[in-house]
Amino acid sequence: QVQLVESGGGLVQAGGSLRLSCAASGIIFRLASMGWYRQAPGKQRELVASITISGNPNYADSVLGRFTISRDNAKNTAFLQMNSLKPEDTAVYYCNLLVRGRLDLWGQGTQVTVSS
């Protein structure tokens, strides 16, 4: 099956770091743009970071300078390095793989909880 498998979430104290990974299978990873979204209870899903096919990253203002999105095409995996975590970063984080008009895949979500 074509799927995305996320890992790396957990519970950390404010100021700590986590690294999320998103492993793809059954697809040509190189042809897709990748994104990380998050959703907190009672709030809409928001785009946190994205990376283009050519490797150009973009970030939400709230995470700029703290988070880094990257991809390893040889391993069909995308990453989100999260540093200087804040309690307001607490959410379920979802990986997204997009080939416009062809593929739109979502990971199962991984919980990130940042304690005060």
Side-chain angles (χ1 to χ4, degrees), residues 92-103:
V92 177
Y93 284 70
Y94 297 93
C95 177
N96 173 248
L97 180 152
L98 177 66
V99 180
R100 292 191 182 277
R102 305 299 295 268
L103 292 171

Side-chain angles (χ1 to χ4, degrees), residues 79-108:
F79 304 93
L80 185 67
Q81 178 67 46
M82 304 184 294
N83 298 326
S84 301
L85 282 162
K86 305 175 181 179
E88 50 263 45
D89 295 318
T90 296
V92 177
Y93 284 70
Y94 297 93
C95 177
N96 173 248
L97 180 152
L98 177 66
V99 180
R100 292 191 182 277
R102 305 299 295 268
L103 292 171
D104 189 3
L105 304 178
W106 293 88
Q108 80 281 5

Side-chain angles (χ1 to χ4, degrees), residues 8-108:
L11 173 64
V12 298
Q13 294 182 335
S17 298
L18 285 173
R19 180 162 132 122
L20 307 183
S21 64
C22 175
S25 63
I27 59 172
I28 303 176
F29 182 82
R30 183 184 297 271
L31 300 180
S33 61
M34 301 294 298
W36 286 96
Y37 293 75
R38 68 186 181 188
Q39 187 168 24
K43 297 184 178 180
Q44 292 193 20
R45 183 181 61 187
E46 64 173 341
L47 178 63
V48 176
S50 63
I51 187 166
T52 67
I53 295 171
S54 61
N56 186 33
N58 290 279
Y59 301 95
D61 289 344
S62 60
V63 307
L64 189 65
R66 299 188 298 119
F67 290 11
T68 302
I69 187 171
S70 61
R71 63 191 298 161
D72 185 337
N73 289 342
K75 297 182 178 179
N76 282 8
T77 303
F79 304 93
L80 185 67
Q81 178 67 46
M82 304 184 294
N83 298 326
S84 301
L85 282 162
K86 305 175 181 179
E88 50 263 45
D89 295 318
T90 296
V92 177
Y93 284 70
Y94 297 93
C95 177
N96 173 248
L97 180 152
L98 177 66
V99 180
R100 292 191 182 277
R102 305 299 295 268
L103 292 171
D104 189 3
L105 304 178
W106 293 88
Q108 80 281 5

